[in-house]
Amino acid sequence: MKISFSPPFIDNDVLKEVEDTLSSGWITTGPKVKSLENELSGIAGVKNSLCVNSATSGLILVMRWYGIGKGDEVIIPSYTYCATALAVIHTGAIPVMVDVYDDFTINIAEIEKKITSKTKAIIPVDIAGWPADYDSINKVVQKKNIREKFIPNSIPQQQLGRILVLSDAAHSIGAYYKGKPTGSLCDITVFSFHAVKNVTTAEGGGISINLPEPFNSSEVYSTMRLMSLNGQTKDAFTKTRAGEWLYDIVLLGFKMNMPDICAAIGLAQIRKYKSFLLPERKRIALMYSQLFSHYKWAHLPILSNSDGTESSYHIYLLRINDIVESDRDAIIEEISKTGVSVNVHFIPMPMLSLFKSMGYNIGDHPVAYRNYSCEISLPIYPQLSDTEIQFIVSSVVGAYQKVIAK
Ligand SMILES: Cc1ncc(COP(=O)(O)O)c(C=O)c1O
């Protein structure tokens, strides 16, 4: 049986929405993007969200808005996709990597150790859809001694007066932390709508704004929107109207806007995300957990707990107890022979050539390495049938038996 890892969910509603855009006479940033932004704000529990062309762009844009650049430091977990670190580097700042907990989220005690007077932001990552410990992170940045260290060098930094908490929620749209949705857990949250994500626009990202007083969320939205559109006072949609030709360039912007043709795909998906797509993901994740619970060697991911925290079931991070990296690789090879595509999320950044050449060392991140060395990501997407899930599980079990229990 051939099982791919993450095909996009394209139904008639997606096709209709895309066709509607194609025949509307407008295909780049316009009404569909606005509707997607409103839907995202609803799910994220915020007033304003801005869509951009990727989560990577979103992270760069937010950090630039906050005035982060050369000489600054941004704390991130070592266990994430490279985009978290690359976004920091593209602002000119230095990514300061810290180790993670057993549940893959950023280690709070390690964050505290790494904060200096140069620290401008912390980027927790909700790996696989499981939220980081935001209450603890928000408490750290509010601590008196840590606020006293903070040296503001932009207007937003003066207004906030502390380290920005910027969530990399590329995986976690629709997840909850202590009863609150991702998007509303810290200052600013960036979601990904990349092709393999829970809601996709082929490529895309969303920025949800949840800044405290004295920030005005719709003003921040407008500034960020301007920054995403070359700093141009009128977008192309407005300029198509008769008499609307005059514009100005008022700041050094980027070209990071999302086109309507992309937003159309995500719009059709996000409308049924809570009612259909997310419950389907949950069905699959729970079925994996139920089927793997019979095997002592299977270390199951945490998917929900009694304090109202619940995953967005982006991917299923299965770990195998008591194996080493080469065993994991051999198990994946055996699984692949059965036609099932699995993955590893992620190779910790200090193991990748670029970051090694910059001096990062996996020896400083023992938990990230331990998690990585025994992890196999199993597919989750709504189209997976119960029979296919059973096949995936028996493929993993068979591979384990062949490699380990032989
Ligand atoms: C944890 C994490 N952060 C950021 C990104 C970047 O998302 P995008 O491809 O939308 O830029 C990804 C993409 O896979 C990711 O997994």
Side-chain angles (χ1 to χ4, degrees):
M1 199 182 278
K2 279 255 169 295
I3 299 183
S4 55
F5 192 71
S6 46
F9 178 83
I10 307 294
D11 66 356
N12 268 336
D13 290 333
V14 171
L15 296 175
K16 263 198 276 173
E17 204 62 53
V18 170
E19 203 188 324
D20 183 61
T21 311
L22 287 173
S23 52
S24 72
W26 191 256
I27 57 172
T28 191
T29 312
K32 299 281 180 191
V33 168
K34 192 80 218 143
S35 302
L36 181 61
E37 289 176 349
N38 291 339
E39 294 284 347
L40 177 61
S41 290
I43 286 181
V46 298
K47 274 216 290 261
N48 296 92
S49 300
L50 174 74
C51 283
V52 286
N53 59 9
S54 71
T56 311
S57 298
L59 291 168
I60 294 171
L61 193 149
V62 172
M63 284 187 275
R64 293 302 299 147
W65 165 82
Y66 198 54
I68 294 175
K70 206 162 183 297
D72 292 331
E73 294 176 354
V74 175
I75 297 177
I76 61 171
S78 52
Y79 205 100
T80 179
Y81 183 58
C82 63
T84 320
L86 296 181
V88 175
I89 295 168
H90 283 304
T91 69
I94 295 171
V96 175
M97 296 186 193
V98 304
D99 206 357
V100 292
Y101 292 124
D102 186 68
D103 74 356
F104 296 91
T105 64
I106 191 163
N107 182 313
I108 315 291
E110 293 297 314
I111 292 179
E112 277 207 63
K113 283 189 213 155
K114 296 284 181 177
I115 290 176
T116 71
S117 57
K118 295 178 182 168
T119 309
K120 289 293 186 306
I122 298 169
I123 310 184
V125 181
D126 304 337
I127 295 285
W130 181 250
D133 183 1
Y134 287 93
D135 277 359
S136 301
I137 298 166
N138 290 331
K139 254 188 219 145
V140 167
V141 298
Q142 292 287 5
K143 278 189 177 176
K144 192 164 172 279
N145 64 323
I146 286 176
R147 288 184 80 117
E148 279 167 0
K149 267 191 203 166
F150 186 74
I151 304 171
N153 55 21
S154 71
I155 292 167
Q157 288 178 23
Q158 276 161 10
Q159 287 180 309
L160 192 62
R162 60 162 169 80
I163 296 168
L164 178 81
V165 182
L166 166 59
S167 165
D168 178 340
H171 299 182
S172 63
I173 184 170
Y176 280 82
Y177 170 81
K178 299 187 181 173
K180 285 163 64 183
T182 48
S184 67
L185 305 174
C186 60
D187 301 316
I188 301 182
T189 299
V190 172
F191 297 99
S192 174
F193 298 131
H194 174 261
V196 302
K197 299 301 192 293
N198 289 20
V199 172
T200 184
T201 57
E203 296 286 353
I207 301 168
S208 291
I209 301 159
N210 186 48
L211 288 158
E213 298 269 322
F215 291 95
N216 175 315
S217 168
S218 42
E219 275 172 22
V220 174
Y221 167 85
S222 301
T223 307
M224 287 188 183
R225 188 167 191 273
L226 199 61
M227 288 179 73
S228 76
L229 280 158
N230 289 331
Q232 185 170 307
T233 49
K234 261 180 213 162
D235 63 22
F237 188 69
T238 311
K239 280 173 79 258
T240 55
R241 296 194 198 120
E244 291 276 11
W245 64 272
L246 189 64
Y247 66 90
D248 194 9
I249 302 294
V250 292
L251 51 79
L252 180 62
F254 300 100
K255 191 67 171 65
M256 291 177 167
N257 56 306
M258 176 187 283
D260 265 19
I261 189 67
C262 292
I265 304 170
L267 192 52
Q269 293 189 354
I270 207 167
R271 283 185 185 132
K272 60 178 75 172
Y273 184 59
K274 285 300 201 66
S275 60
F276 174 64
L277 297 174
L278 189 55
E280 281 298 289
R281 288 183 168 273
K282 182 172 180 173
R283 163 185 68 83
I284 294 157
L286 295 185
M287 192 165 168
Y288 279 137
S289 286
Q290 197 265 322
L291 293 172
F292 280 118
S293 66
H294 303 299
Y295 301 96
K296 275 211 188 100
W297 49 261
H299 180 163
L300 311 182
I302 179 163
L303 300 171
S304 63
N305 68 24
S306 56
D307 69 4
T309 303
E310 184 172 2
S311 176
S312 67
Y313 310 99
H314 175 51
I315 38 180
Y316 192 88
L317 301 187
L318 177 72
R319 277 174 285 174
I320 315 272
N321 292 323
D322 306 320
I323 61 165
V324 294
E325 192 182 341
S326 55
D327 296 328
R328 187 275 313 277
D329 296 351
I331 292 171
I332 290 184
E333 203 172 319
E334 288 301 325
I335 295 171
S336 307
K337 286 182 192 162
T338 67
V340 174
S341 297
V342 295
N343 253 297
V344 174
H345 291 82
F346 289 98
I347 302 173
M349 284 182 294
M351 294 178 74
L352 302 169
S353 301
L354 172 73
F355 301 109
K356 272 198 268 190
S357 75
M358 293 169 76
Y360 297 96
N361 181 352
I362 191 63
D364 299 329
H365 304 266
V367 182
Y369 179 72
R370 195 183 69 212
N371 284 353
Y372 156 76
S373 62
C374 62
E375 193 273 331
I376 302 175
S377 311
L378 305 182
I380 299 186
Y381 49 90
Q383 305 93 306
L384 275 179
S385 68
D386 288 0
T387 313
E388 285 172 319
I389 298 161
Q390 275 155 353
F391 184 78
I392 294 167
V393 173
S394 58
S395 165
V396 174
V397 171
Y400 175 85
Q401 281 163 353
K402 227 173 184 169
V403 173
I404 307 295
K406 62 184 176 213

